[in-house]
Amino acid sequence: MNPYVILSGAILSELFGTTALKLSDGFSRPLPSLGVVIGYGLAFYLLSLTLEELPVGIVYATWAALGIIGVAAIGVLAFDEHLDGAAVAGMGLILAGVYCLNVLSDVSAH
């Protein structure tokens, strides 16, 4: 299977786990707390599969960057959090960095 598909699954699992973490209210709510364990467990398992085919630096940078942007988007959409212009510009720079690493750099496996 394409390692970027697996990496996408790892990112989505992390987003699920992080959203559950917010909803767990300091691990005082059992169902969201279980979601944290499942989400992060699956994320790390899928991340380990991705590392069999792609360099660790590329995988981790992509996973972390898209996780940051995804969690920020979830915060805005689900939790009524707000981003200012600097935050949006910073996330744009993060996306540009991920693009450079995965598309322009010779380090990644194209």
Side-chain angles (χ1 to χ4, degrees), residues 12-80:
L12 291 173
S13 298
E14 180 203 7
L15 295 177
F16 175 82
T18 303
T19 303
L21 186 61
K22 171 81 171 170
L23 296 171
S24 76
D25 197 26
F27 289 103
S28 65
R29 299 178 61 210
L31 193 56
S33 297
L34 179 61
V36 173
V37 173
I38 291 169
Y40 283 126
L42 183 59
F44 281 108
Y45 172 71
L46 294 173
L47 197 63
S48 74
L49 296 179
T50 304
L51 290 172
E52 292 176 358
E53 299 201 32
L54 295 175
V56 67
I58 299 300
V59 169
Y60 191 76
T62 304
W63 180 61
L66 296 181
I68 290 167
I69 293 167
V71 166
I74 289 168
V76 169
L77 296 172
F79 301 113
D80 199 32

